[in-house]
């Protein structure tokens, strides 16, 4: 039997380059080898942005389009919307009964977000329980591994602990441990040098036109010591250079040389980077345009994914109910 991989993404807006190198490229490799289940986790989006749901349906559709345009193949992988499978909430409920509050309150990702995000009130019961629902997502499909970014590691650790606690309390080796698969690529920073994020308005989106990409790249912060064209640069501290490393590894030596020897200025260096990015994005955008014109196809794909997901989810829930409640599978 193929190993099962599960991952989810919150539909909070258009996908950007950070999603591509941080997650999607990894998913593309995984789908060739494993049974992959990828979920658009709209309940998780609600947990953090419960006051802004007006774009949610559009975002869900956009996310499905972006995924497929990047090469996630609905014939190989299962793509579905979390809220269409109510079993996520059932399992989450069971886990919420056995998860000690201290585990959730100590979660570093939770603490960081409470500290950093001031624009929304995240002191809610739901937000504290975010990783409990995430655990349910993963264990509902009995995933063996979960590709994630480093910030999500505490959540996977928690998922393992909840699985073990379930097994311990109910005296059964029902849930297996799941492993995190960390993406190898270094984290891509936004054009202002901070973490790339929609909320910082510093992202290059997969759907940005060539003109917008060029403009954004032009605005990227470079080595501050390079004021004149003749000043030698320090590529190691330049964000433009780190983009080359990710998107055009074959070119890095050349870029390094022209930078330290002051053979080329930052404007020229950025112009070439913009070309590299636009060339990479062109086929994705072409596919995106096709898909945008055929929404019924996207809906069909999500419906098919829902049926596949439902099959697995309902089986797990009936087993869990029988373990936890002693319920008969069919009354
Ligand atoms: N919490 C994840 C994030 O913000 C999204 C997510 C929800 C997820 N459920 C998941 C990721 C299950 C992996 C597995 O990125
Ligand atoms: Fe950065 Fe390129 Fe300028 Fe060097 S030449 S500082 S790598 S933008």
């Amino acid at each position: 039997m193929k190993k099962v991989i599960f991952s989810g993404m919150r539909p909070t807006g258009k996908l950007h380059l950070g999603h591509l190198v941080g997650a999607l490229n990894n998913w593309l490799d995984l789908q060739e080898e494993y049974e992959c289940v990828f979920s658009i986790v709209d309940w998780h989006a609600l947990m953090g942005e419960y006051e802004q749901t007006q774009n949610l349906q559009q975002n869900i559709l956009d996310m499905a389009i972006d995924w497929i345009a990047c090469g996630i193949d609905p014939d190989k992988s299962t793509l579905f919307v979390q809220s269409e499978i109510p079993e996520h909430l059932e399992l989450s409920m069971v886990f919420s009964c056995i998860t000690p509050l201290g585990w959730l309150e100590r979660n570093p990702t939770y603490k960081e977000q409470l500290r950093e995000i001031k624009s929304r009130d995240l002191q809610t019961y739901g937000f504290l329980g975010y990783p409990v629902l995430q655990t349910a997502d993963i264990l509902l499909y009995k995933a063996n591994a979960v590709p994630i970014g480093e910030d999500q590691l505490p959540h996977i650790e928690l998922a393992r602990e909840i699985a073990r606690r379930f097994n311990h309390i109910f005296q059964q080796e029902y849930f297996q441990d799941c492993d995190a698969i960390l993406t190898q690529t270094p984290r891509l920073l936004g054009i202002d040098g901070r973490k790339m994020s929609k909320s910082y308005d510093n992202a290059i989106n997969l759907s940005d036109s060539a003109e917008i990409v060029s403009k954004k790249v032009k605005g990227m912060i470079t080595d501050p010591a390079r004021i004149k064209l003749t000043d030698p640069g320090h590529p190691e501290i330049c964000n433009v250079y780190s983009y080359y490393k990710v998107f055009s590894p074959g070119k890095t030596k050349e870029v390094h040389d022209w930078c330290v020897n002051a053979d080329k200025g930052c404007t020229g260096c950025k112009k070439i980077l913009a070309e590299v990015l636009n060339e990479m994005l062109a086929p994705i955008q072409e596919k995106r345009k096709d898909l945008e014109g055929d929404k019924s196809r996207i809906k069909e794909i999500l419906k098919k994914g829902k049926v596949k997901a439902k099959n697995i989810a309902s089986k797990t829930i009936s087993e869990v109910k029988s373990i936890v409640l002693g319920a008969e599978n069919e009354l």
Side-chain angles (χ1 to χ4, degrees):
M1 272 239 298
K2 273 192 188 174
K3 267 198 187 175
V4 178
I5 304 281
F6 183 96
S7 202
M9 236 186 240
R10 281 171 300 129
T12 49
K14 295 239 162 79
L15 290 195
H16 53 61
L17 289 180
H19 294 114
L20 187 68
V21 300
L24 282 172
N25 278 344
N26 203 17
W27 293 11
L28 291 181
D29 291 339
L30 291 167
Q31 76 173 350
E32 299 304 324
E33 252 181 274
Y34 303 104
E35 186 64 48
C36 289
V37 183
F38 297 127
S39 182
I40 299 175
V41 288
D42 49 351
W43 288 136
H44 277 110
L46 183 73
M47 285 173 159
E49 304 197 356
Y50 53 88
E51 282 168 313
Q52 277 165 4
T53 54
Q54 61 284 359
N55 298 327
L56 205 48
Q57 290 313 309
Q58 186 58 46
N59 289 346
I60 289 171
L61 220 53
D62 268 331
M63 179 158 277
I65 292 175
D66 275 328
W67 284 6
I68 299 164
C70 286
I72 299 296
D73 182 347
D75 290 328
K76 291 182 184 149
S77 305
T78 303
L79 318 186
F80 75 101
V81 179
Q82 181 190 39
S83 67
E84 304 225 300
I85 308 289
E87 283 84 349
H88 288 250
L89 301 183
E90 290 191 74
L91 191 56
S92 181
M93 193 277 158
V94 174
F95 289 158
S96 76
C97 296
I98 64 166
T99 305
L101 275 178
W103 290 7
L104 301 173
E105 286 162 347
R106 271 198 300 275
N107 170 8
T109 307
Y110 173 69
K111 289 202 288 193
E112 186 192 308
Q113 286 181 320
L114 278 194
R115 230 183 305 118
E116 305 257 314
I117 302 174
K118 293 279 172 251
S119 55
R120 291 168 265 148
D121 181 5
L122 292 177
Q123 304 271 6
T124 62
Y125 168 57
F127 194 67
L128 179 67
Y130 182 108
V132 178
L133 179 60
Q134 182 162 350
T135 300
D137 296 343
I138 298 165
L139 298 184
L140 192 55
Y141 301 93
K142 311 224 172 109
N144 307 101
V146 185
I148 39 142
E150 210 163 335
D151 64 313
Q152 294 291 311
L153 265 181
H155 292 172
I156 304 306
E157 197 43 54
L158 209 68
R160 294 152 66 96
E161 277 168 20
I162 292 174
R164 285 186 205 139
R165 189 161 161 86
F166 179 98
N167 293 347
H168 173 72
I169 289 175
F170 300 105
Q171 303 269 305
Q172 242 185 86
E173 286 301 305
Y174 182 68
F175 288 115
Q176 311 273 303
D177 271 350
C178 56
D179 292 319
I181 303 177
L182 273 185
T183 316
Q184 294 306 313
T185 0
R187 182 185 271 191
L188 195 72
L189 297 176
I191 54 175
D192 59 357
R194 293 188 293 169
K195 178 186 170 193
M196 187 179 283
S197 159
K198 184 192 121 194
S199 38
Y200 292 154
D201 200 18
N202 64 358
I204 297 178
N205 295 324
L206 301 185
S207 52
D208 281 345
S209 68
E211 202 185 329
I212 291 183
V213 172
S214 302
K215 207 170 125 207
K216 286 183 175 174
V217 171
K218 217 171 174 179
M220 278 173 80
I221 293 167
T222 62
D223 173 7
R226 256 204 108 179
I227 299 161
K228 293 191 300 302
L229 200 69
T230 47
D231 295 333
H234 305 84
E236 306 74 29
I237 60 157
C238 177
N239 198 20
V240 173
Y241 184 64
S242 61
Y243 271 57
Y244 272 108
K245 280 203 242 170
V246 175
F247 296 105
S248 187
K251 235 181 158 57
T252 46
K253 195 185 169 304
E254 196 186 336
V255 177
H256 189 275
D257 287 351
W258 76 46
C259 182
V260 295
N261 299 324
D263 284 339
K264 202 185 266 305
C266 293
T267 311
C269 183
K270 287 173 173 178
K271 195 159 167 266
I272 297 170
L273 175 65
E275 282 163 17
V276 167
L277 295 178
N278 283 326
E279 203 171 300
M280 172 189 76
L281 290 174
I284 297 177
Q285 293 182 352
E286 200 171 312
K287 211 163 157 201
R288 198 176 200 289
K289 221 189 265 154
D290 279 355
L291 293 162
E292 268 176 343
D294 193 359
K295 295 236 164 76
S296 58
R297 188 163 146 227
I298 303 293
K299 296 225 160 113
E300 202 49 50
I301 287 170
L302 291 175
K303 214 193 255 166
K304 254 173 76 188
K306 173 184 170 181
V307 172
K308 282 208 276 179
K310 179 84 183 176
N311 267 332
I312 310 171
S314 60
K315 182 161 177 284
T316 304
I317 284 300
S318 70
E319 288 167 359
V320 165
K321 279 171 89 173
S322 125
I323 293 170
V324 173
L325 304 173
E328 287 293 336
N329 289 343
E330 285 162 70
L331 274 179

